[in-house]
Amino acid sequence: MRLATLKVGGQETAAVITAKGAVLVSTVNEVKGTDYATDMMSLIKKGQIPVMNEWYRAGGKAELEEMKTIPAAEMVYGPLYRNPARIFGIGLNYADHAGDIGSAAPKGFPGSFFKQADTLIGPGDDIHLPRLKEAQKTTAEAELGIILGQDCRDVSEEDWEKVVVGYTTILDMTEESILKGNDYLDGNPRYLTIVKNFPTFFSFGPQLVTPDEMPKDLMSVEVQSVRNGEVYAKNTISNMTHKPSRLVSLHSSIQGWIAGDVLSTGTPRAFEIKEGDLAECRICGPDGFEMAPLTNPVLDLKKHPEIKA
C-alpha cells in the first residue's frame, strides 16, 4: 500500500494511492464505516497503517477502485506529515559522499545529526538558499527515508523491520561552504547539525510505501541524486557503510524511537544547487519498482529580498 498527504480544500489530509489517483481516508471511512484517522501522523501513532494494509491486501485494493477518487492530474501533495518528534540524519554513509568533503566514511559509529521539524517542506515547495552572506554553496542530497511506526527501545538487528511502518524519498540540504570553510570546524562532519538546519532544508514525501511493497531484497534498492532531470549520482543500499538494520537497531539503544520519527539514511552523493535548479530524489529497484519521485525547485534568497524567510 502507498499513502500520501494531499492538499484538499485548504487542508492536508491522508489518502491511499490507487491506479487512478488517490482515495481520501475519510472516503474509506464513509464507505466502509471505519474510524481511521484522517491525518498521516495520527495514522502512524495509532498503529492504524498496518491494519489498513491488511484490508488493502485482502481485497481492499480492488474496493478502492470503486470509491470516489481524486484523479492523478489533480493531486497536490503536501509533506507526508509535519512536526515529527525527531528527524535523524546519517552523514557520509556512502564512501563516495564522504570523499566529497575529504573525509572517510565513519565505520565504528555512524556520523549522525538531528534536524529540526521546522526545516521540513513537501514536494514542489521551494528550497531556499540562505540569505546569510557566509552561505555560498548549498548542496542537496537524495536519501531513502525510514519512518518508525512505534515507540520502542533496544530493537535487535533481526527485528528492525517490525518497527518500521514505511519508506519514503527525502532531499536533505547542507550549507557546505560553512561546513568546509570554517577554520574552527575544518569540515568535520560532527558539526553537520549547524549547517543542516536552515529553513526548507528537509523535503519529505510524496508517498509512504509500506514495507511489503518494497523489493524483498532491500539491499538492491537504488537511490539517485538528480539535478535538473539528469542523474548526478546513484548507489544501492548494499553499499551503505551502516545498513538500515544497524541504524534502526543502534539508535533504538541510544535515544530510542518515537512513532513518527524519521531516519534519513544518507546519500550517494551531494550536488550543488543554485537559483532556478530542480533538485530531485528518485528511488527504484528490481522488477520495475519505483517510488514516486520527490522534486523541489530552488530559490536563492539573496536574489529575492521580497521573500520573508
Side-chain angles (χ1 to χ4, degrees):
M1 184 173 64
R2 300 185 183 212
L3 299 106
T5 293
L6 302 184
K7 297 180 179 181
V8 179
Q11 301 292 319
E12 293 182 345
T13 184
V16 184
I17 302 300
T18 71
K20 299 175 184 177
V23 175
L24 298 181
V25 173
S26 59
T27 300
V28 175
N29 286 338
E30 291 171 10
V31 174
K32 299 293 294 178
T34 48
D35 190 28
Y36 297 127
T38 56
D39 68 279
M40 192 74 72
M41 179 64 94
S42 295
L43 280 171
I44 293 169
K45 285 189 169 295
K46 292 181 178 182
Q48 292 181 332
I49 291 177
V51 178
M52 287 183 64
N53 195 32
E54 287 184 12
W55 163 73
Y56 179 88
R57 290 183 292 166
K61 181 177 181 181
E63 291 184 57
L64 285 166
E65 299 299 335
E66 304 302 319
M67 297 183 192
K68 181 180 178 181
T69 300
I70 299 174
E74 298 177 15
M75 290 163 48
V76 179
Y77 287 110
L80 281 179
Y81 48 92
R82 299 183 185 274
N83 298 313
R86 293 171 301 194
I87 302 169
F88 204 79
I90 306 300
L92 312 180
N93 204 19
Y94 295 87
D96 285 351
H97 182 214
D100 288 343
I101 65 169
S103 298
K107 294 189 177 180
F109 278 76
S112 307
F113 55 92
F114 283 109
K115 297 199 71 136
Q116 297 174 161
D118 62 4
T119 64
L120 192 150
I121 58 174
D125 292 337
D126 293 330
I127 298 168
H128 290 167
L129 305 186
R131 197 167 273 131
L132 188 72
K133 63 181 177 61
E134 291 88 352
Q136 295 296 320
K137 181 182 179 182
T138 301
T139 57
E141 301 154 19
E143 310 197 11
L144 174 70
I146 297 175
I147 300 169
L148 280 299
Q150 56 186 268
D151 297 358
C152 55
R153 289 197 64 87
D154 299 322
V155 178
S156 70
E157 289 198 38
E158 293 73 25
D159 290 336
W160 76 278
E161 290 179 293
K162 293 180 180 179
V163 302
V164 172
V165 72
Y167 300 84
T168 194
T169 43
I170 283 172
L171 283 168
D172 179 31
M173 272 56 72
T174 304
E175 187 38 59
E176 193 172 294
S177 54
I178 296 175
L179 177 69
K180 295 177 71 174
N182 191 313
D183 290 340
Y184 293 100
L185 305 187
D186 195 27
N188 194 313
R190 78 182 64 173
Y191 295 99
L192 282 170
T193 300
I194 295 172
V195 297
K196 283 186 170 289
N197 279 287
F198 288 91
T200 77
F201 267 32
F202 188 83
S203 185
F204 180 47
Q207 295 180 5
L208 180 154
V209 181
T210 55
D212 58 294
E213 290 268 332
M214 298 293 288
K216 289 183 179 179
D217 179 14
L218 186 65
M219 296 299 101
S220 67
V221 168
E222 181 177 274
V223 181
Q224 299 179 353
S225 293
V226 181
R227 179 173 57 192
N228 298 327
E230 298 292 329
V231 177
Y232 178 82
K234 59 185 180 180
N235 215 327
T236 58
I237 304 303
S238 62
N239 290 320
M240 286 182 175
T241 302
H242 301 279
K243 308 297 191 292
S245 57
R246 171 166 167 77
L247 294 175
V248 170
S249 176
L250 175 65
H251 291 100
S252 77
S253 299
I254 301 172
Q255 86 278 356
W257 293 112
I258 298 171
D261 279 355
V262 183
L263 171 63
S264 196
T265 57
T267 186
R269 178 161 283 177
F271 56 95
E272 185 175 4
I273 50 176
K274 295 181 178 294
E275 167 87 13
D277 282 346
L278 190 68
E280 184 176 354
C281 172
R282 297 178 190 168
I283 295 179
C284 56
D287 301 320
F289 171 81
E290 290 182 335
M291 288 188 178
L294 171 64
T295 57
N296 293 92
V298 181
L299 286 180
D300 188 342
L301 293 183
K302 295 180 179 68
K303 299 181 179 182
H304 294 275
E306 76 282 4
I307 296 176
K308 304 301 181 184

